[in-house]
Each structure stands twice: as structure tokens, then as C-alpha cells.
Amino acid sequence: MTYGDLQLYAIGALGPAIGVFLGVLIGLSISKRAGKTNWLFRESVYATAFLASALAFGVAILVRMLMGGGAI
């Protein structure tokens, strides 16, 4: 695998990462309004959403690498 291949996998994994970020951001914003914030990362909705999207990005890259799929 070359650096160019890794870039293609990363580009292909952007969609799920952005989707997870937006979904978690919306869901946690609703949860925060209900007063349930003791389990958030650094008690921040944005930090928790970013952490979830970073993990989803990494998992999506690994899945694409294992499945042998390219960017699209």
C-alpha cells in the first residue's frame, strides 16, 4: 500500500465520519437540553461529537482497507 492508497481510503471515509459527527451533534444537543451531560467527553457536546466522528473515520478507513475498496 502506498501513501496515495491511504489518501483514497481517507477520502472515501469522509462521508461516514461527517454523518456520524452531524448525527451525534444533533442527538447530544437534544440530550443536553434534557440535562444529561455527566457522561459527555469533557462535558462538551462538540468534543464528544468530534471524538465519535474521529473514531468512525478510523473504523471506516480500516473497513475500506480490509474490504479492498477504493475511494468510491
Side-chain angles (χ1 to χ4, degrees):
M1 174 175 23
T2 64
Y3 182 69
D5 292 338
L6 185 59
Q7 286 179 337
L8 289 177
Y9 293 133
I11 290 169
L14 281 176
I18 292 171
V20 167
F21 178 78
L22 293 176
V24 170
L25 187 64
I26 291 168
L28 292 181
S29 295
I30 293 169
S31 178
K32 187 173 182 178
R33 288 185 185 160
K36 302 174 184 175
T37 60
N38 58 347
W39 55 272
L40 294 175
F41 179 67
R42 297 188 181 212
E43 295 191 18
S44 169
V45 171
Y46 294 109
T48 306
F50 178 77
L51 182 63
S53 68
L55 290 173
F57 183 65
V59 168
I61 289 174
L62 288 175
V63 167
R64 285 187 177 272
M65 288 171 63
L66 292 174
M67 298 294 287
I72 298 175

